[in-house]
Amino acid sequence: DVNGILYFNAFTPNEGTELWKSDGTTGGTVRVMDIEAGKGSSHPNYMLDMNGTLLFTPTESQYGDELWKTDGTANGTTLVKDIFQGTEDADIAQPVNAGGTLYFIADNGINGAELWKSDGTDTGSSMVKDINPGSGDAQIDFLTASGNKVYFIADDGSGLEL
């Protein structure tokens, strides 16, 4: 639910599984955008309201599995950041809204799976910290928002800790 509009993914034979929205009426239930037009399904996932904008993660052939946003229109549906450059997937997982900032796990292809944050813009999206330095994954799990803070477990190379 973003400002009274329900966002969800739905399948149609012509477009595959894409992002849809509904205001609760038949006429107000429409596809937002065919993100993978003519190429199959984008399978939108991890939909989350961020200050009145929907952030979500579709899989798109040009960028892979990355962070996108929409204002509910096709023209307002855009890539936020290509975290893992090129067609590789950033494998975004466990997004949480903590005080108006999106925190999530992502892999940029250099540092492994680490903690990231986003304000919904390219320049406002960055890795918080390379918790397990180098290319090793931090094995982050159980992201939980509490006010403006995020709690989770991670491995800095010496074992899992809070």
Side-chain angles (χ1 to χ4, degrees):
D1 174 33
V2 179
N3 299 324
I5 302 295
L6 174 69
Y7 289 89
F8 57 99
N9 62 31
F11 173 83
T12 63
N14 292 335
E15 290 105 11
T17 303
E18 294 295 342
L19 183 64
W20 284 67
K21 69 178 181 177
S22 178
D23 64 4
T25 67
T26 302
T29 303
V30 296
R31 187 192 69 219
V32 175
M33 180 181 180
D34 186 1
I35 295 168
E36 274 292 276
K39 299 177 187 172
S41 299
S42 70
H43 299 285
N45 200 3
Y46 293 121
M47 298 176 207
L48 198 63
D49 178 6
M50 289 298 301
N51 310 315
T53 298
L54 181 78
L55 271 68
F56 65 104
T57 58
T59 300
E60 196 267 346
S61 56
Q62 183 177 351
Y63 300 106
D65 169 21
E66 297 289 348
L67 184 62
W68 283 60
K69 68 180 176 181
T70 187
D71 64 1
T73 67
N75 286 340
T77 303
T78 60
L79 176 73
V80 172
K81 185 167 189 80
D82 188 7
I83 294 169
F84 196 134
Q85 296 290 303
T87 60
E88 296 295 324
D89 294 339
D91 293 325
I92 294 171
Q94 300 185 38
V96 296
N97 180 344
T101 299
L102 181 72
Y103 289 89
F104 56 96
I105 303 163
D107 184 346
N108 64 4
I110 299 167
N111 304 99
E114 296 289 348
L115 183 65
W116 282 70
K117 68 178 181 176
S118 178
D119 65 0
T121 66
D122 179 49
T123 57
S125 302
S126 62
M127 184 170 49
V128 174
K129 180 178 181 179
D130 189 3
I131 296 168
N132 189 351
S135 61
D137 293 344
Q139 299 180 33
I140 298 168
D141 205 358
F142 305 108
L143 262 70
T144 304
S146 178
N148 292 335
K149 296 182 181 183
V150 176
Y151 294 91
F152 56 93
I153 61 169
D155 184 352
D156 64 0
S158 62
L160 289 170
E161 298 289 341
L162 180 63

